[in-house]
Amino acid sequence: MAVAEEPPLDEQQWRSPPIAQSMGGIHTNTVLPYFSHSPFFDATSNNATLTTQAMYNPNMFHFIQTREAFEGRLRTMSGLEFMVAHDPSNNGQQPENSGVFVIRKQNRRKRPGLEDEVTALSSYFVIGENIYMAPSVGNVIGSRMLSTVTSLTKLLSAASALPIFTPSLGHTYLPPTRKAPSSGISTQATQTSIESTPMPDTQGTLRSTKTLLASEKSSSADLLGTSILAESFSLFSRYGNEYMDENPLVGEPGSFILQKSREAPSQSQPKISSSSAKPSAPPTPQLITDLPPASGKKSAKAGEKSPITPGFKDKKGRRKSKVAGALTTTTPK
């Protein structure tokens, strides 16, 4: 039959209320004798040797009466020993304390002319009647690293299924919404019709279908709004300090050509008429086509004159040319 293996010492807890009661409680003078009954104690240490000698040698019995005398005797010896590294009562001077004693297992080596070389091997905590072994630094770091790696593995496995890509929304990390059911109502054809058969609740089915469609639309709208908000925040974080001109530059680098603005010119700027830009032309004379009737008599009034057509001169002002008469030639006989 296989014997079950005991757990490591740093995973054990030991206590013995009867032993603690027989010693009158755990205090500064009884903490080392109480610790010697635990499985953490080593029977080959100087503590066990000194206790055995004091029990059978009356001259050494005073070494086990107080902790100060016992530890003073241990400092004169060389080898493995257990010493109290922390006393919460400060050798009985503080009655009210935390009650946590720290016992250190160490190896002492004597050096002639120099101080003793002490190497700490492990530490133990005595809390009330309970005794624990402190884990080593390697065990603590290994446990923390294992916990960190386990948490990261769970995180990566959960996040690997989150990224979703759709042409309309792009990359998203939200779970997909359920597809809306078809609006048609499935009906099953029967071969015979029975009058007592109750009619299906079509109104309730339609109402539930409409409610489900409305909820699906609202959820899809919320998903679209969330994705738009995330995209807007991403654009703001990347291009929040950049601005675009109303008329951006077009063309090759170094060619400052502004793009035409699509907006109409503002109404505040006055328009320049085409007539003011060109020089004014002289007005065209107006012809009078209404002529008075011809008459042989002169006008009764001497001061009045007949109207004259513009552009023509009066016949009286015209003279015949004398050159025409001088140039007449005679035919030779």
Side-chain angles (χ1 to χ4, degrees):
M1 183 176 179
V3 180
E5 297 182 358
E6 295 185 359
L9 292 178
D10 56 355
E11 298 180 5
Q12 294 184 16
Q13 173 192 0
W14 184 86
R15 62 186 303 234
S16 179
I19 297 177
Q21 187 177 2
S22 64
M23 294 181 178
I26 306 300
H27 49 82
T28 183
N29 293 326
T30 60
V31 61
L32 286 178
Y34 179 75
F35 181 81
S36 63
H37 293 84
S38 68
F40 307 104
F41 186 75
D42 191 352
T44 61
S45 62
N46 293 337
N47 298 57
T49 303
L50 183 58
T51 303
T52 304
Q53 292 177 356
M55 293 294 294
Y56 296 97
N57 188 356
N59 297 329
M60 301 180 62
F61 186 76
H62 64 280
F63 289 126
I64 60 175
Q65 297 298 318
T66 60
R67 183 174 66 85
E68 294 181 356
F70 187 77
E71 290 182 350
R73 180 63 178 178
L74 287 176
R75 290 186 178 93
T76 61
M77 304 172 65
S78 177
L80 185 64
E81 61 186 11
F82 292 90
M83 303 281 286
V84 177
H86 174 70
D87 184 3
S89 63
N90 195 11
N91 293 331
Q93 298 180 5
Q94 297 180 359
E96 297 181 359
N97 50 73
S98 61
V100 179
F101 291 88
V102 179
I103 298 177
R104 183 170 297 168
K105 179 182 180 180
Q106 55 192 15
N107 186 18
R108 183 182 298 274
R109 188 171 68 89
K110 294 292 183 178
R111 294 184 300 178
L114 299 175
E115 295 183 357
D116 298 343
E117 181 182 356
V118 179
T119 304
L121 301 178
S122 58
S123 299
Y124 306 89
F125 301 99
V126 181
I127 305 174
E129 298 176 353
N130 302 319
I131 301 178
Y132 307 89
M133 180 179 179
S136 61
V137 178
N139 293 338
V140 173
I141 295 177
S143 176
R144 297 296 177 87
M145 292 183 65
L146 179 61
S147 177
T148 303
V149 171
T150 304
S151 301
L152 288 176
T153 304
K154 293 181 179 179
L155 173 63
L156 293 177
S157 61
S160 60
L162 291 180
I164 303 171
F165 176 78
T166 56
S168 58
L169 302 179
H171 292 278
T172 58
Y173 290 88
L174 298 177
T177 58
R178 295 179 299 174
K179 295 183 179 180
S182 58
S183 59
I185 303 173
S186 60
T187 58
Q188 296 180 356
T190 57
Q191 296 180 357
T192 59
S193 176
I194 303 176
E195 295 180 357
S196 61
T197 303
M199 295 296 292
D201 188 8
T202 56
Q203 298 295 334
T205 307
L206 288 175
R207 191 180 301 108
S208 61
T209 304
K210 291 180 180 179
T211 305
L212 183 58
L213 289 176
S215 62
E216 293 295 338
K217 288 181 180 179
S218 61
S219 61
S220 61
D222 296 341
L223 176 61
L224 180 59
T226 305
S227 61
I228 292 175
L229 177 61
E231 183 67 19
S232 302
F233 181 76
S234 177
L235 292 176
F236 174 75
S237 61
R238 286 184 294 175
Y239 310 107
N241 298 328
E242 299 181 7
Y243 300 91
M244 183 180 293
D245 298 334
E246 295 182 359
N247 298 332
L249 295 176
V250 295
E252 299 177 355
S255 178
F256 296 94
I257 302 176
L258 297 178
Q259 185 180 5
K260 293 183 180 180
S261 177
R262 297 181 180 179
E263 300 180 357
S266 59
Q267 300 294 337
S268 60
Q269 297 180 357
K271 296 183 179 180
I272 302 175
S273 60
S274 60
S275 60
S276 61
K278 298 180 181 180
S280 59
T284 305
Q286 184 178 4
L287 298 178
I288 300 175
T289 57
D290 297 337
L291 298 177
S295 59
K297 298 181 181 181
K298 296 182 179 180
S299 175
K301 296 181 181 180
E304 296 180 359
K305 296 182 180 180
S306 61
I308 302 174
T309 303
F312 296 92
K313 295 183 179 181
D314 190 6
K315 291 182 180 182
K316 294 181 180 182
R318 299 176 67 180
R319 297 180 182 179
K320 295 182 179 180
S321 177
K322 296 180 180 181
V323 181
L327 296 175
T328 57
T329 56
T330 56
T331 305
K333 299 180 182 180

